[in-house]
Amino acid sequence: MNYRHAYHAGNFADCMKHALLVSLLGSFLRKSTPFMVLDTHAGIGRYDLHCEEAEKTQEWRNGIGLLMDEGPDSPLAPWLDLVRKAGGPDIYPGSPMLVAMMLRAEDHLVCCEKHPDDKRKLYGVFARNPNVAVHERDGYEALRALLPPATAKRGLVLIDAPFEEPDEFGRLIMAVQTIQARFPTGIIAIWYPIKHRTPVRAFHTALKDAGVRDVLAAEFLMRPPVDPDRLNGSGLLVIKPPYGFAAQADAQLKRLKTLLHAHDYSITQIVPE
């Protein structure tokens, strides 16, 4: 895909991904025991939707720009409340900021960002937050060094790769195997683009063939996935989803479909427990 996320912050894919991420994190808050989140491709943490990059594409206007009037009874409310607290709609919080806003005193977030300029911006966001660590390193390579977490027995690994490389789905399969070997109790969430169906089907099949169990795929399509040169939708694959997550995701994506005038959505169990 070859892009910097500032051009696309707050678009439909962000809205889908972050609404579901907040639901995943909410499951950890039901218990008092601490948890850790590892964000392997963290970005800069917060995005000014009036910066040059965002103004150039205007993608956020057909994403978060259509959602800010949602009320407290909406299934999207827990996520949108955080967006508003972060300064939305002028400022859009990326995954690290959303996670950090949900942490309790005993919980931790570890962020990896390999681009030096982005890492400096990310560090600036969290410089005064003792619960957040920022590393300038490749997120895939960091899995062996940072797992299992030293601070908690529960946790989530979020992989939101930029898909700049043609073998990204293959790297994700290897990453899942590494995570499950080192942190077998952890939940894994993987964002992926949907341009056309063939690469996505191959990814799901490869997970099955690798013996990965308890896999759920939530997908959101703005248009039919028939143009390989266009981002037609996005997916969030969750390994070991918490109880109740599928129902929450269904309600959230159903509401997003209406508000964003999307083509379709689905919640599919790719591999059973």
Side-chain angles (χ1 to χ4, degrees), residues 179-194:
I179 295 166
Q180 293 202 317
R182 301 187 65 82
F183 188 29
T185 61
I187 296 172
I188 305 171
I190 300 172
W191 180 88
Y192 56 89
I194 302 175

Side-chain angles (χ1 to χ4, degrees), residues 150-266:
T151 57
K153 294 182 180 180
R154 299 190 301 149
L156 168 70
V157 179
L158 173 64
I159 305 179
D160 182 12
F163 279 81
E164 295 175 335
E165 304 296 334
D167 65 339
E168 201 76 67
F169 279 120
R171 298 187 74 188
L172 287 170
I173 297 296
M174 293 187 289
V176 168
Q177 292 173 321
T178 298
I179 295 166
Q180 293 202 317
R182 301 187 65 82
F183 188 29
T185 61
I187 296 172
I188 305 171
I190 300 172
W191 180 88
Y192 56 89
I194 302 175
K195 295 185 175 183
H196 61 107
R197 277 292 176 196
T198 302
V200 174
R201 288 196 185 105
F203 175 48
H204 292 171
T205 299
L207 284 168
K208 295 179 188 177
D209 293 344
V212 181
R213 309 292 298 176
D214 198 6
V215 182
L216 186 79
E219 297 188 342
F220 189 76
L221 296 173
M222 292 302 293
R223 60 194 66 87
V226 295
D227 185 350
D229 295 321
R230 192 176 186 186
L231 182 65
N232 298 303
S234 66
L236 190 73
L237 187 128
V238 183
I239 300 171
K240 297 185 179 178
Y243 176 78
F245 172 74
Q248 286 181 307
D250 186 81
Q252 290 170 319
L253 296 189
K254 182 178 181 180
R255 185 60 179 156
L256 279 175
K257 178 179 181 289
T258 298
L259 295 173
L260 300 186
H261 312 291
H263 170 68
D264 201 4
Y265 78 92
S266 62

Side-chain angles (χ1 to χ4, degrees), residues 2-214:
N2 193 23
Y3 66 79
R4 299 301 289 273
H5 195 65
Y7 288 97
H8 310 281
N11 69 0
F12 79 88
D14 264 2
C15 293
M16 173 264 191
K17 171 180 60 186
H18 291 146
L20 300 189
L21 173 63
V22 169
S23 290
L24 285 174
L25 294 172
S27 70
F28 288 107
L29 299 177
R30 298 182 197 132
K31 297 182 179 180
S32 60
T33 51
F35 66 90
M36 185 275 279
V37 177
L38 171 59
D39 191 338
T40 62
H41 298 73
I44 64 174
R46 65 193 299 273
Y47 298 88
D48 180 357
L49 296 183
H50 299 292
C51 72
E52 180 181 354
E53 295 89 347
E55 289 288 355
K56 184 176 181 178
T57 63
Q58 298 279 307
E59 287 188 17
W60 67 271
R61 294 189 182 277
N62 292 317
I64 191 62
L66 298 176
L67 306 178
M68 297 305 292
D69 292 334
E70 278 290 272
D73 295 329
S74 170
L76 304 173
W79 160 60
L80 289 173
D81 286 346
L82 295 175
V83 174
R84 295 184 186 101
K85 290 177 183 177
D90 297 316
I91 299 297
Y92 186 78
S95 300
M97 179 169 280
L98 290 170
V99 174
M101 294 173 74
M102 296 183 73
L103 297 178
R104 303 163 300 186
E106 63 272 23
D107 305 321
H108 290 87
L109 166 65
V110 180
C111 301
C112 294
E113 176 50 56
K114 71 175 183 178
H115 295 287
D117 290 344
D118 288 356
K119 181 265 180 181
R120 282 192 289 271
K121 292 177 182 177
L122 185 65
Y123 182 81
V125 172
F126 296 122
R128 298 179 181 274
N129 191 329
N131 295 75
V132 181
V134 177
H135 297 263
E136 184 181 324
R137 64 194 307 173
D138 179 87
Y140 289 123
E141 296 175 358
L143 294 174
R144 294 185 182 276
L146 300 177
L147 296 176
T151 57
K153 294 182 180 180
R154 299 190 301 149
L156 168 70
V157 179
L158 173 64
I159 305 179
D160 182 12
F163 279 81
E164 295 175 335
E165 304 296 334
D167 65 339
E168 201 76 67
F169 279 120
R171 298 187 74 188
L172 287 170
I173 297 296
M174 293 187 289
V176 168
Q177 292 173 321
T178 298
I179 295 166
Q180 293 202 317
R182 301 187 65 82
F183 188 29
T185 61
I187 296 172
I188 305 171
I190 300 172
W191 180 88
Y192 56 89
I194 302 175
K195 295 185 175 183
H196 61 107
R197 277 292 176 196
T198 302
V200 174
R201 288 196 185 105
F203 175 48
H204 292 171
T205 299
L207 284 168
K208 295 179 188 177
D209 293 344
V212 181
R213 309 292 298 176
D214 198 6

